[in-house]
Amino acid sequence: MSRRTAFSAQTLAVLAALVAQPSDWRHGYDLAGETGLKSGTLYPILIRLADREIVEACWEEGQPAGRPRRHLYRLTIDGLAAAAAALAEGPRVAAQTAKPRRAANRRLAEEGA
Amino acid sequence: MEQFATMLTAMLRAAERLLPPGRRQWAEAARAEAVQAPGGWSRVRWLLGGLWLVAREAGVMRKVMYWTGVGAAAVVASWTIWLSWRAVRLPYFDPQAVTDRVRILAGIAAIVVLPWVGRRRGWFGPVGSSITARLVRVAGCAAMCGLGVVVVRMDSHLQRGANVGPFSLPREIVGLLPLAGALAAALPWMRSRRKKADTGALWALAATGAGTMLVVLPLQALSIGYVAAILCVTARGSSVATVSLFAGACIGVASGFAIWAVVTAWGNDDQGLIPIVALMAGLLAAPAGLIAGWARPDTGDPEESRVARMRQGAYAGAVAGAVCGLVLTYFSVVAVFMMLVGPLAGALSGAAAGALAAQYPIRPRIDGSWAAGLFVQVRAR
């Protein structure tokens, strides 16, 4: 049995969200809303991806009014290639993650986010 | 709810210090994003996730479990020593009380000292990454602590004049000297293993020491040996596969209960049951060897695969036999011989089952799926 991908379904969902807008910096709550992942799941994934240099992270520049600075994420150049390859390998995973993503979007909509 | 969220924010800020400096920014990020969440339960959930992140990244749960285990071992040791101490003052003086104390101290010392001794070379640690390895290590050490309690309680309920002797200092010294000798022999052997040094003499010395120990101080020697074996097979560098460990542990527990049920039904006073019990333990360990053999991936070389499957089968069988022996000893300390015979019988039958698994391997299903039944989905490539 050969392992086709080293990424879990949740990680692929995060990668899919980041691949959709590869040049944009995304923040954690934004990614959580899109993927349906809770913060306790999302951040460990982002940590692992950053450790593997698939994702780069930085703090928002300047001090915005009325809220703390955000921690921002986007794919590195190598990470973009790796994410595209992983997503091409795992279309089944995308279907599996669609359900929690829809549920999360519905929940956020209900909450008025 | 807002007050609760404020409290969680403060807790998260304080907990961030538990993380190494390179990781703190992630907890700070989770805290910063919490203000984006709409108030109420949604924000609380987000902050709880942040606390979970800290607990996970700082290894808090692991530390809590570790120190809980250390505390439990200390409590068991203290309780057992108190039991044996109290027994000396009771009218029905337990002649084994001091011996029990030595047994318990030997077992606890093994749990504490062996990981420390073996840490540098990775013989006993760190623990394997699988849940099975962690569970087997924790449950095994707990079982060894519990076994001490069982022995002490049994001895304290024996009547005076039973077939037990008082504490003998010469006997303990005679037993502990071979123990020290065996360890002194085993350590150089381990060091010289890669240098292809002549290990025959060391093996003989270690076997003599271990044999003497088993005769003179069976429980002390077995407890030290079991603790060492538990730490060794659950270590990260162990050659025992997770499947072998899992199958061996599960089947060992089941076979221990099954054998005890049979023995109870038959009449456990019959000495003739001893070989039958050993045979049953061996036979019941065979499925573990079979599972371990089948789970071992094919290497491409038939002879190499056969040897690897036999080896994993022997490991799984030995684990099953050891666990079975431990369970039986819990039911009756008289069955302590099974802690020695069980692993040997299990290893033999497990190796035979592993050879059988190599002879009749399970064919991998279509597309590598192990799903049973008719509905095996074939993925388009």
Side-chain angles (χ1 to χ4, degrees):
Chain A
M1 278 186 291
S2 62
R3 186 176 281 236
R4 292 184 182 78
T5 173
F7 296 117
S8 66
Q10 289 87 350
T11 307
L12 284 174
V14 174
L15 289 175
L18 290 168
V19 160
Q21 299 161 357
S23 58
D24 292 357
W25 289 97
R26 311 285 298 273
H27 59 88
Y29 193 71
D30 178 26
L31 288 171
E34 189 168 337
T35 58
L37 298 175
K38 296 183 173 70
S39 57
T41 307
L42 173 69
Y43 282 102
I45 288 172
L46 288 171
I47 290 172
R48 305 290 170 259
L49 291 175
D51 286 346
R52 292 167 72 169
E53 297 180 349
I54 290 173
V55 161
E56 56 184 331
C58 70
W59 285 99
E60 193 177 15
E61 288 179 5
Q63 180 62 54
R67 62 171 175 81
R69 285 191 306 152
R70 281 171 165 160
H71 206 219
L72 304 170
Y73 319 101
R74 74 176 179 188
L75 292 168
T76 61
I77 294 170
D78 290 344
L80 183 57
L87 290 168
E89 279 286 308
R92 181 170 52 93
V93 173
Q96 286 174 350
T97 54
K99 199 183 287 181
R101 194 185 308 162
R102 279 198 298 271
N105 288 340
R106 193 166 55 244
R107 195 175 66 238
L108 287 172
E110 285 168 1
E111 290 169 351
Chain B
M1 190 62 84
E2 283 308 310
Q3 286 178 342
F4 186 46
T6 308
M7 188 184 75
L8 287 177
T9 306
M11 281 174 67
L12 182 54
R13 185 182 292 118
E16 283 163 18
R17 293 173 200 158
L18 293 172
L19 291 171
R23 288 281 195 254
R24 281 181 198 159
Q25 58 172 333
W26 298 96
E28 288 171 18
R31 184 162 52 83
E33 292 293 332
V35 296
Q36 301 298 318
W41 185 234
S42 180
R43 184 175 297 174
V44 166
R45 266 204 309 257
W46 185 270
L47 288 165
L48 285 173
L51 284 170
W52 171 245
L53 165 73
V54 173
R56 187 171 158 160
E57 292 299 316
V60 171
M61 296 305 289
R62 193 177 301 171
K63 287 172 189 165
V64 166
M65 292 297 287
Y66 175 78
W67 286 109
T68 304
V70 169
V75 167
V76 169
S78 309
W79 183 43
T80 317
I81 289 167
W82 178 76
L83 277 177
S84 61
W85 204 280
R86 189 189 61 164
V88 175
R89 297 179 180 175
L90 289 175
Y92 50 91
F93 169 58
D94 170 18
Q96 289 277 54
V98 185
T99 312
D100 287 343
R101 209 178 298 157
V102 174
R103 287 174 183 167
I104 297 303
L105 287 175
I108 297 290
I111 290 173
V112 173
V113 174
L114 285 181
W116 178 73
V117 169
R119 185 176 295 274
R120 290 185 65 186
R121 296 229 166 212
W123 300 328
F124 301 132
V127 66
S129 53
S130 69
I131 293 173
T132 302
R134 290 171 191 276
L135 276 179
V136 168
R137 178 171 283 205
V138 171
C141 288
M144 294 311 297
C145 287
L147 188 62
V149 177
V150 169
V151 171
V152 169
R153 287 186 69 84
M154 188 205 72
D155 280 350
S156 65
H157 286 86
L158 280 179
Q159 292 179 351
R160 190 167 186 173
N163 188 23
V164 288
F167 174 70
S168 164
L169 188 62
R171 186 183 61 177
E172 296 296 324
I173 291 172
V174 168
L176 288 172
L177 281 177
L179 170 63
L183 281 174
L187 291 174
W189 172 74
M190 296 289 271
R191 289 199 186 100
S192 63
R193 210 174 150 194
R194 291 180 186 172
K195 295 177 185 172
K196 305 281 183 189
D198 178 25
T199 56
L202 290 169
W203 263 112
L205 189 62
T208 308
T212 313
M213 263 196 313
L214 278 170
V215 172
V216 182
L217 300 171
L219 269 174
Q220 285 92 322
L222 276 175
S223 65
I224 292 169
Y226 261 64
V227 169
I230 289 164
L231 295 173
C232 196
V233 299
T234 55
R236 195 164 295 173
S238 166
S239 51
V240 181
T242 304
V243 177
S244 309
L245 196 58
F246 183 77
C250 292
I251 289 175
V253 170
S255 57
F257 277 90
I259 290 172
W260 181 248
V262 170
V263 167
T264 309
W266 202 329
N268 55 6
D269 291 336
D270 190 357
Q271 294 292 319
L273 277 177
I274 291 175
I276 296 172
V277 167
L279 187 67
M280 284 170 72
L283 288 176
L284 289 173
L290 208 56
I291 292 168
W294 275 330
R296 179 79 192 173
D298 194 354
T299 58
D301 179 3
E303 183 55 26
E304 193 184 343
S305 292
R306 195 179 69 84
V307 171
R309 284 179 168 145
M310 278 180 69
R311 190 181 296 130
Q312 286 304 322
Y315 289 152
V319 170
V323 172
C324 173
L326 194 56
V327 170
L328 287 172
T329 309
Y330 258 86
F331 284 125
S332 169
V333 181
V334 180
V336 69
F337 70 93
M338 280 304 295
M339 286 179 70
L340 187 64
V341 176
L344 296 175
L348 285 175
S349 74
L356 200 67
Q359 188 73 29
Y360 302 101
I362 290 182
R363 292 172 190 276
R365 291 179 187 273
I366 301 167
D367 201 32
S369 168
W370 291 84
L374 296 171
F375 305 103
V376 178
Q377 197 173 11
V378 182
R379 280 187 57 205
R381 289 185 184 276

mmCIF file of all heavy atoms in Angstrom, chain B residues 357-373:
data_model
loop_
_atom_site.group_PDB
_atom_site.id
_atom_site.type_symbol
_atom_site.label_atom_id
_atom_site.label_comp_id
_atom_site.label_asym_id
_atom_site.label_seq_id
_atom_site.Cartn_x
_atom_site.Cartn_y
_atom_site.Cartn_z
ATOM 1 N N ALA B 357 1.638 -17.321 8.343
ATOM 2 C CA ALA B 357 1.197 -16.101 7.652
ATOM 3 C C ALA B 357 2.064 -15.830 6.431
ATOM 4 O O ALA B 357 1.578 -15.338 5.410
ATOM 5 C CB ALA B 357 1.239 -14.917 8.608
ATOM 6 N N ALA B 358 3.352 -16.162 6.533
ATOM 7 C CA ALA B 358 4.239 -15.978 5.384
ATOM 8 C C ALA B 358 3.915 -16.982 4.283
ATOM 9 O O ALA B 358 4.017 -16.676 3.094
ATOM 10 C CB ALA B 358 5.694 -16.134 5.823
ATOM 11 N N GLN B 359 3.500 -18.182 4.703
ATOM 12 C CA GLN B 359 3.160 -19.229 3.728
ATOM 13 C C GLN B 359 1.861 -18.893 2.998
ATOM 14 O O GLN B 359 1.723 -19.131 1.799
ATOM 15 C CB GLN B 359 3.014 -20.562 4.471
ATOM 16 C CG GLN B 359 2.857 -21.773 3.573
ATOM 17 C CD GLN B 359 4.160 -22.149 2.884
ATOM 18 O OE1 GLN B 359 5.233 -21.898 3.425
ATOM 19 N NE2 GLN B 359 4.063 -22.701 1.689
ATOM 20 N N TYR B 360 0.908 -18.359 3.754
ATOM 21 C CA TYR B 360 -0.408 -18.023 3.180
ATOM 22 C C TYR B 360 -0.686 -16.547 3.418
ATOM 23 O O TYR B 360 -1.516 -16.191 4.264
ATOM 24 C CB TYR B 360 -1.503 -18.879 3.818
ATOM 25 C CG TYR B 360 -1.277 -20.359 3.660
ATOM 26 C CD1 TYR B 360 -0.766 -21.120 4.709
ATOM 27 C CD2 TYR B 360 -1.550 -21.000 2.450
ATOM 28 C CE1 TYR B 360 -0.534 -22.475 4.565
ATOM 29 C CE2 TYR B 360 -1.319 -22.358 2.298
ATOM 30 C CZ TYR B 360 -0.810 -23.089 3.360
ATOM 31 O OH TYR B 360 -0.579 -24.422 3.213
ATOM 32 N N PRO B 361 -0.019 -15.675 2.687
ATOM 33 C CA PRO B 361 -0.229 -14.234 2.943
ATOM 34 C C PRO B 361 -1.595 -13.790 2.457
ATOM 35 O O PRO B 361 -2.180 -14.396 1.548
ATOM 36 C CB PRO B 361 0.884 -13.582 2.117
ATOM 37 C CG PRO B 361 1.191 -14.554 1.045
ATOM 38 C CD PRO B 361 0.917 -15.920 1.593
ATOM 39 N N ILE B 362 -2.088 -12.744 3.078
ATOM 40 C CA ILE B 362 -3.351 -12.149 2.616
ATOM 41 C C ILE B 362 -3.034 -11.311 1.402
ATOM 42 O O ILE B 362 -2.141 -10.449 1.438
ATOM 43 C CB ILE B 362 -3.983 -11.278 3.718
ATOM 44 C CG1 ILE B 362 -4.484 -12.168 4.842
ATOM 45 C CG2 ILE B 362 -5.106 -10.432 3.169
ATOM 46 C CD1 ILE B 362 -5.166 -11.416 5.955
ATOM 47 N N ARG B 363 -3.776 -11.544 0.338
ATOM 48 C CA ARG B 363 -3.536 -10.768 -0.887
ATOM 49 C C ARG B 363 -4.084 -9.361 -0.696
ATOM 50 O O ARG B 363 -5.201 -9.196 -0.220
ATOM 51 C CB ARG B 363 -4.249 -11.414 -2.078
ATOM 52 C CG ARG B 363 -3.659 -12.743 -2.472
ATOM 53 C CD ARG B 363 -4.545 -13.405 -3.523
ATOM 54 N NE ARG B 363 -4.115 -14.783 -3.750
ATOM 55 C CZ ARG B 363 -3.137 -15.118 -4.581
ATOM 56 N NH1 ARG B 363 -2.513 -14.190 -5.255
ATOM 57 N NH2 ARG B 363 -2.789 -16.375 -4.744
ATOM 58 N N PRO B 364 -3.303 -8.349 -1.054
ATOM 59 C CA PRO B 364 -3.828 -6.983 -0.939
ATOM 60 C C PRO B 364 -5.027 -6.779 -1.859
ATOM 61 O O PRO B 364 -5.049 -7.275 -2.978
ATOM 62 C CB PRO B 364 -2.642 -6.110 -1.363
ATOM 63 C CG PRO B 364 -1.721 -7.010 -2.073
ATOM 64 C CD PRO B 364 -1.955 -8.393 -1.580
ATOM 65 N N ARG B 365 -6.009 -6.090 -1.343
ATOM 66 C CA ARG B 365 -7.212 -5.859 -2.145
ATOM 67 C C ARG B 365 -6.960 -4.805 -3.218
ATOM 68 O O ARG B 365 -5.936 -4.143 -3.220
ATOM 69 C CB ARG B 365 -8.363 -5.430 -1.242
ATOM 70 C CG ARG B 365 -8.814 -6.555 -0.357
ATOM 71 C CD ARG B 365 -9.933 -6.073 0.541
ATOM 72 N NE ARG B 365 -10.263 -7.093 1.513
ATOM 73 C CZ ARG B 365 -11.125 -8.072 1.298
ATOM 74 N NH1 ARG B 365 -11.750 -8.144 0.133
ATOM 75 N NH2 ARG B 365 -11.379 -8.955 2.207
ATOM 76 N N ILE B 366 -7.973 -4.670 -4.077
ATOM 77 C CA ILE B 366 -7.851 -3.751 -5.202
ATOM 78 C C ILE B 366 -7.567 -2.344 -4.687
ATOM 79 O O ILE B 366 -8.206 -1.880 -3.748
ATOM 80 C CB ILE B 366 -9.161 -3.742 -6.022
ATOM 81 C CG1 ILE B 366 -9.442 -5.147 -6.511
ATOM 82 C CG2 ILE B 366 -9.077 -2.768 -7.167
ATOM 83 C CD1 ILE B 366 -10.834 -5.324 -7.042
ATOM 84 N N ASP B 367 -6.595 -1.682 -5.296
ATOM 85 C CA ASP B 367 -6.264 -0.299 -4.986
ATOM 86 C C ASP B 367 -5.796 -0.142 -3.540
ATOM 87 O O ASP B 367 -5.922 0.913 -2.941
ATOM 88 C CB ASP B 367 -7.471 0.608 -5.244
ATOM 89 C CG ASP B 367 -7.028 2.050 -5.423
ATOM 90 O OD1 ASP B 367 -5.917 2.240 -5.945
ATOM 91 O OD2 ASP B 367 -7.761 2.947 -5.020
ATOM 92 N N GLY B 368 -5.302 -1.236 -2.967
ATOM 93 C CA GLY B 368 -4.762 -1.141 -1.619
ATOM 94 C C GLY B 368 -5.801 -1.024 -0.541
ATOM 95 O O GLY B 368 -5.483 -0.817 0.614
ATOM 96 N N SER B 369 -7.075 -1.164 -0.876
ATOM 97 C CA SER B 369 -8.106 -1.013 0.148
ATOM 98 C C SER B 369 -8.256 -2.306 0.927
ATOM 99 O O SER B 369 -8.237 -3.396 0.376
ATOM 100 C CB SER B 369 -9.437 -0.656 -0.515
ATOM 101 O OG SER B 369 -10.459 -0.792 0.430
ATOM 102 N N TRP B 370 -8.431 -2.201 2.221
ATOM 103 C CA TRP B 370 -8.649 -3.357 3.072
ATOM 104 C C TRP B 370 -10.119 -3.482 3.433
ATOM 105 O O TRP B 370 -10.489 -4.280 4.282
ATOM 106 C CB TRP B 370 -7.801 -3.257 4.350
ATOM 107 C CG TRP B 370 -6.362 -3.391 4.076
ATOM 108 C CD1 TRP B 370 -5.500 -2.419 3.684
ATOM 109 C CD2 TRP B 370 -5.589 -4.600 4.117
ATOM 110 N NE1 TRP B 370 -4.252 -2.934 3.480
ATOM 111 C CE2 TRP B 370 -4.266 -4.273 3.751
ATOM 112 C CE3 TRP B 370 -5.887 -5.929 4.431
ATOM 113 C CZ2 TRP B 370 -3.254 -5.217 3.691
ATOM 114 C CZ3 TRP B 370 -4.872 -6.859 4.380
ATOM 115 C CH2 TRP B 370 -3.575 -6.506 4.004
ATOM 116 N N ALA B 371 -10.956 -2.696 2.769
ATOM 117 C CA ALA B 371 -12.385 -2.732 3.103
ATOM 118 C C ALA B 371 -12.954 -4.095 2.751
ATOM 119 O O ALA B 371 -12.655 -4.666 1.710
ATOM 120 C CB ALA B 371 -13.126 -1.650 2.330
ATOM 121 N N ALA B 372 -13.786 -4.620 3.624
ATOM 122 C CA ALA B 372 -14.366 -5.936 3.379
ATOM 123 C C ALA B 372 -15.670 -5.795 2.601
ATOM 124 O O ALA B 372 -16.236 -4.714 2.498
ATOM 125 C CB ALA B 372 -14.631 -6.617 4.715
ATOM 126 N N GLY B 373 -16.123 -6.889 2.049
ATOM 127 C CA GLY B 373 -17.413 -6.900 1.392
ATOM 128 C C GLY B 373 -17.306 -6.656 -0.103
ATOM 129 O O GLY B 373 -16.229 -6.629 -0.684
#
